Amino acid sequence: ATPTTAAQNVVIDRALLNAFKALPARFEDPKNPITPEKVELGRMLYFDTRLSKNQDVSCNSCHDLNKFGVDGKPFSTGHKKQLGGRNSPTVYNSGGHLLQFWDGRAANLEEQAKGPILNPVEMAMPSAERVVETVKSIPGYVTAFQKAFPGEADPVTYDNLAKAIGAFERQLVTPSRFDKFLAGDDKALSEAEKVGLKKFLDQGCQTCHNGAAIGGSLQKLGLVVPFQSKDQGRFDLTKKEADRMIFRVPTLRNVAKTAPYFHDGSVKDLQTAVKLMAQHQFGKQISDDDAKSIVTFLDSLTGELPKSYIAKPKLPASGPKTPKPDPS
Amino acid sequence: ATPTTAAQNVVIDRALLNAFKALPARFEDPKNPITPEKVELGRMLYFDTRLSKNQDVSCNSCHDLNKFGVDGKPFSTGHKKQLGGRNSPTVYNSGGHLLQFWDGRAANLEEQAKGPILNPVEMAMPSAERVVETVKSIPGYVTAFQKAFPGEADPVTYDNLAKAIGAFERQLVTPSRFDKFLAGDDKALSEAEKVGLKKFLDQGCQTCHNGAAIGGSLQKLGLVVPFQSKDQGRFDLTKKEADRMIFRVPTLRNVAKTAPYFHDGSVKDLQTAVKLMAQHQFGKQISDDDAKSIVTFLDSLTGELPKSYIAKPKLPASGPKTPKPDPS
Ligand code: HEC
Ligand code: HEC
Ligand code: HEC
Ligand code: HEC
Ligand SMILES: [Ca+2]
Ligand SMILES: [Ca+2]
């Protein structure tokens, strides 16, 4: 059977595309200007397992940059193979989210980066002071912090560590053919992808999945049909009724590569995720063909990984005082 | 001409109503439990002009509780009749918003309340210390703070002042016939209102205007058709591109009474505001009749003001050390 959905010359109302934005080269934040020195340092820290208690977990363990920034598991394993309670979102393009984490509890990437290192089920470091101590024990890092934060008397701080990681992440962007299409190139998407895009727009998915990240604001999961979940999203953070089942809308960029889906990683395939969205957010049952067609469009959001930018750097050698792994 | 939109027996798909929530009796926050003593204190503070530099502006000046929590002006006048840059949103039901202010910069009402008192164009107090000093100079307040925050050695603090105001505001709720309708009473709305509700739902307005407040998350104003505005919303706060034109979606409760509309108060009548929403958020031109019909529905969101709860209380007398008005 040939896909009949791939009709010729589907016309997209370009005004509707204003809901999206082409990816910028980097997500700037004037509070943390990006410099090559910060990025270089941030890249090393991102890959460094010495930022974890047992020196066996790094950011890259859960957000594998060669795997579109995820680990492919419903829940990640951190320190002592403990399972976290939420699916690891991708770090690619996350600078385009209005807020970070599934419940939006961090305002930006720099604030976000301070979380996992101290989280007992993730990297499990006992305190920010301990992290700073560890970094200071590694001579190559001391030099790298000095270069990244010139003129500061005591550049090795937890805040600066977060800034370096944030600066590195701000350039984790993956432009795709969809960006060319947004820029005006009608041929950048295939007819089948345009059919899917039209269905996406007709359903109104872009009221929640919009902007450069194609996601990023806070919304209720289960707006129409309740979504069963022990995790109540932002409510678990604030205990305010208004926040019950409010989750940060995830980016749809690279979504074909970031299974399993939803905050609980409960859904394995994208077509099912799309059908569940239509059902829970709009109260609509969409056909398998329509869901497939939307998936075809979503595939066009798979971008190119910046191979050399994400290559694992050589990490500076430990010094005599660098703590040993602590498996406890 | 009789309104042909008021067809008999319009049927609303009740599943779609899950997007909304009936108003609670109060918006609880476990971080600030509501007690009668806090509320009583908060009410006095809400009406007290002595919290402003020239002792001529109170919360109630811009958020008149007898006028549905607004002042009816595009921009409010504060200290020395200075104009602010944004329209005063209603304080009724604002506890149901996920975030406070047009740009969402405060996480809750308690944090919010600390802003206007120190804002130079609003109440213009020079510092939190000065506010505390003023309150401490009023013997009746010292007693009221002791009652509201029992067991605290030094209860008159700026934080506690914000908590008292917050506790008072958390009960500024205005249930309407729409809540009865949500609870299952099909007769609570007229046929014409149901027709309007159906149009509202068919357009998809509830993807942004939802929950108990019928509003409250962050969204882009001008999702499809750009909205001209010097004010760039959350971008002006964070300077992040992703935040450009992102505004907190305002409650639609009592919207018939809270003209003028939008963050800049640029639109005088509700029917025009509705048409602009369809145009800017969906790229759709809706007819005057459809807009009128949606307005008919929105009228049903006008609730009852809690007359005795909002009656202006007797304010405690100034003491010998209470500062005099400062018109400078
Ligand atoms: C053991 C697994 C694990 C490790 C290690 C880990 N993360 Fe995460 N990361 C997660 C999970 C799970 C979430 C979602 C948690 C939540 O929302 O409550 C997350 C969320 C994030 C987000 C938010 C993305 C978004 O779109 O909201 C970013 C960015 C991020 N992590 C970066 C990092 C960085 C940088 C490091 C290292 C300093 C790191 N992570 C280490 C599992 C991990
Ligand atoms: C009213 C808001 C809203 C609408 C409309 C909406 N979504 Fe979502 N979407 C969300 C939220 C919130 C989540 C995250 C849910 C969670 O916490 O697991 C999500 C998650 C997803 C995911 C899973 C992404 C991942 O990485 O786990 C996909 C795929 C998706 N949406 C596609 C769609 C499609 C296709 C449509 C239209 C048919 C749509 N969405 C409409 C809010 C919305
Ligand atoms: C001179 C006018 C003025 C005064 C006085 C004033 N406000 Fe406001 N209020 C505003 C304006 C304007 C905004 C919106 C500002 C913005 O979003 O940037 C606002 C926002 C708010 C909000 C947020 C509502 C929402 O839905 O986001 C609350 C709550 C509020 N004010 C309560 C108070 C309280 C309590 C006081 C006294 C302590 C007070 N206001 C004093 C003008 C005023
Ligand atoms: C994609 C999100 C979104 C959608 C869809 C949406 N709105 Fe809005 N609405 C907003 C935002 C954001 C504002 C605040 C704009 C501002 O900053 O002035 C707003 C403001 C309004 C206002 C003015 C309220 C006030 O107090 O100033 C009205 C009325 C309104 N919307 C009605 C509607 C109607 C009716 C629909 C459907 C036809 C709709 N909206 C669809 C996001 C949305
Ligand atoms: Ca995933
Ligand atoms: Ca108004």
Side-chain angles (χ1 to χ4, degrees):
Chain A
T2 43
T4 50
T5 41
Q8 288 293 304
N9 299 325
V10 52
V11 178
I12 303 288
D13 175 359
R14 281 205 160 259
L16 294 177
L17 299 179
N18 280 329
F20 309 110
K21 255 191 212 156
L23 271 182
R26 56 194 65 83
F27 291 105
E28 304 270 9
D29 187 329
K31 288 191 292 300
N32 185 24
I34 300 170
T35 64
E37 292 78 14
K38 265 191 220 170
V39 167
E40 203 173 311
L41 170 59
R43 185 188 292 110
M44 294 192 287
L45 294 166
Y46 189 92
F47 280 98
D48 202 327
T49 55
R50 286 170 297 183
L51 297 185
S52 70
K53 193 175 182 199
N54 198 29
Q55 306 196 355
D56 55 358
V57 182
S58 73
C59 307
N60 198 60
S61 309
C62 299
H63 307 282
D64 188 337
L65 294 179
N66 277 312
K67 290 187 180 156
F68 289 88
V70 297
D71 60 6
K73 302 173 193 158
F75 300 126
S76 305
T77 50
H79 182 62
K80 295 202 285 184
K81 307 269 170 256
Q82 290 173 93
L83 280 187
R86 284 180 181 157
N87 182 251
S88 298
T90 178
V91 285
Y92 283 105
N93 313 302
S94 68
H97 287 146
L98 301 189
L99 303 156
Q100 301 298 319
F101 287 122
W102 284 102
D103 53 11
R105 69 186 178 278
N108 53 47
L109 291 167
E110 289 73 17
E111 195 185 323
Q112 193 287 323
K114 297 178 182 181
I117 302 176
L118 303 179
N119 186 325
V121 304
E122 296 186 346
M123 295 161 80
M125 289 295 267
S127 68
E129 291 70 39
R130 183 57 177 275
V131 180
V132 169
E133 225 173 79
T134 304
V135 173
K136 282 191 172 166
S137 76
I138 301 171
Y141 272 136
V142 176
T143 324
F145 271 85
Q146 282 162 349
K147 281 193 205 153
F149 302 96
E152 295 191 17
D154 183 20
V156 186
T157 64
Y158 200 53
D159 277 353
N160 281 347
L161 174 140
K163 279 189 176 172
I165 295 177
F168 171 61
E169 290 177 311
R170 292 187 173 284
Q171 299 192 121
L172 292 172
V173 291
T174 61
S176 76
R177 285 181 293 116
F178 186 59
D179 297 285
K180 297 207 177 103
F181 184 75
L182 289 180
D185 177 0
D186 271 316
K187 300 256 179 281
L189 296 189
S190 71
E191 285 302 309
E193 286 165 344
K194 284 188 235 175
V195 170
L197 169 57
K198 191 161 179 348
K199 286 190 208 288
F200 184 93
L201 293 167
D202 285 350
Q203 294 288 335
C205 309
Q206 75 282 12
T207 34
C208 296
H209 295 278
N210 51 42
I214 316 186
S217 64
L218 296 170
Q219 290 287 354
K220 185 167 171 186
L221 173 61
L223 191 60
V224 174
V225 174
F227 186 100
Q228 294 311 322
S229 160
K230 243 184 60 189
D231 188 337
Q232 298 286 296
R234 204 167 158 88
F235 174 85
D236 291 345
L237 176 71
T238 67
K239 306 294 176 204
K240 294 195 290 185
E241 265 316 307
D243 284 328
R244 207 178 273 284
M245 289 308 280
I246 298 289
F247 287 90
R248 206 279 326 280
V249 181
T251 177
L252 293 184
R253 291 199 178 261
N254 304 311
V255 72
K257 303 292 185 182
T258 60
Y261 300 105
F262 300 124
H263 65 275
D264 55 4
S266 59
V267 173
K268 287 209 186 72
D269 74 299
L270 189 50
Q271 189 177 325
T272 306
V274 166
K275 290 188 81 164
L276 286 171
M277 269 287 126
Q279 187 193 344
H280 289 284
Q281 305 307 78
F282 294 127
K284 282 192 196 158
Q285 302 294 341
I286 63 171
S287 69
D288 284 341
D289 277 356
D290 281 353
K292 237 179 241 166
S293 170
I294 290 177
V295 169
T296 301
F297 157 61
L298 293 176
D299 278 339
S300 78
L301 300 175
T302 301
E304 245 180 278
L305 298 183
K307 287 287 176 206
S308 65
Y309 188 79
I310 63 171
K312 185 172 172 177
K314 195 170 157 348
L315 302 180
S318 293
K321 290 201 181 142
T322 304
K324 301 281 161 271
D326 176 356
S328 74
Chain B
T2 44
T4 49
T5 41
Q8 287 293 303
N9 300 325
V10 53
V11 177
I12 303 289
D13 176 359
R14 281 204 159 261
L16 294 177
L17 299 179
N18 280 329
F20 309 110
K21 256 192 211 156
L23 271 182
R26 56 194 65 81
F27 291 104
E28 305 270 8
D29 186 331
K31 287 190 292 301
N32 185 23
I34 300 170
T35 63
E37 292 78 14
K38 264 191 223 170
V39 167
E40 203 173 312
L41 171 58
R43 186 187 292 111
M44 294 192 289
L45 295 166
Y46 189 92
F47 281 98
D48 204 327
T49 53
R50 286 170 297 183
L51 298 184
S52 70
K53 193 175 183 202
N54 198 28
Q55 307 198 354
D56 55 357
V57 181
S58 72
C59 307
N60 199 60
S61 309
C62 299
H63 307 282
D64 187 336
L65 295 179
N66 277 311
K67 290 187 181 158
F68 289 87
V70 296
D71 60 7
K73 301 173 194 157
F75 299 126
S76 306
T77 50
H79 181 60
K80 297 203 284 185
K81 308 271 171 252
Q82 290 174 93
L83 281 186
R86 283 179 180 158
N87 183 251
S88 298
T90 178
V91 286
Y92 283 105
N93 313 302
S94 68
H97 286 147
L98 301 188
L99 302 156
Q100 301 298 318
F101 286 122
W102 284 102
D103 53 12
R105 69 185 179 277
N108 53 48
L109 291 168
E110 290 73 17
E111 197 185 322
Q112 192 288 322
K114 297 179 181 179
I117 303 177
L118 303 180
N119 186 323
V121 303
E122 298 187 346
M123 296 162 79
M125 289 296 267
S127 68
E129 291 69 39
R130 184 58 179 274
V131 179
V132 169
E133 223 175 80
T134 304
V135 173
K136 282 191 172 167
S137 76
I138 301 171
Y141 271 135
V142 176
T143 324
F145 271 85
Q146 282 162 349
K147 282 194 202 152
F149 302 96
E152 295 190 17
D154 183 19
V156 186
T157 64
Y158 200 55
D159 278 353
N160 281 347
L161 174 141
K163 279 190 176 172
I165 294 176
F168 171 61
E169 290 177 310
R170 293 188 172 283
Q171 298 191 120
L172 292 174
V173 292
T174 61
S176 77
R177 287 180 294 117
F178 186 59
D179 297 285
K180 297 206 177 104
F181 185 76
L182 288 179
D185 178 359
D186 271 317
K187 300 254 180 283
L189 294 190
S190 71
E191 286 302 308
E193 286 164 346
K194 283 188 237 177
V195 170
L197 169 56
K198 193 163 179 340
K199 287 191 207 289
F200 184 93
L201 293 167
D202 286 349
Q203 294 289 334
C205 309
Q206 75 281 11
T207 33
C208 296
H209 295 277
N210 52 42
I214 316 186
S217 64
L218 295 172
Q219 291 286 354
K220 185 167 171 188
L221 173 61
L223 191 60
V224 174
V225 174
F227 187 100
Q228 294 312 324
S229 160
K230 242 184 59 188
D231 188 338
Q232 297 286 297
R234 204 169 160 87
F235 174 85
D236 291 344
L237 176 71
T238 67
K239 307 293 176 204
K240 293 196 291 186
E241 265 315 308
D243 284 328
R244 206 177 273 283
M245 288 307 282
I246 298 289
F247 286 90
R248 206 277 326 280
V249 181
T251 178
L252 292 183
R253 290 196 178 263
N254 305 310
V255 72
K257 305 291 186 183
T258 60
Y261 300 106
F262 300 124
H263 65 274
D264 56 3
S266 59
V267 173
K268 287 209 183 75
D269 75 300
L270 189 49
Q271 189 177 326
T272 306
V274 167
K275 290 188 80 164
L276 286 171
M277 269 286 126
Q279 187 194 343
H280 289 283
Q281 305 306 78
F282 295 125
K284 281 192 196 157
Q285 302 293 340
I286 63 172
S287 68
D288 285 340
D289 277 355
D290 281 354
K292 237 180 238 167
S293 170
I294 290 177
V295 168
T296 301
F297 157 62
L298 293 176
D299 278 339
S300 78
L301 300 176
T302 301
E304 244 179 278
L305 298 184
K307 286 285 175 209
S308 65
Y309 188 78
I310 63 171
K312 184 172 175 182
K314 195 170 156 351
L315 301 181
S318 294
K321 290 199 183 145
T322 304
K324 301 281 162 272
D326 176 355
S328 75

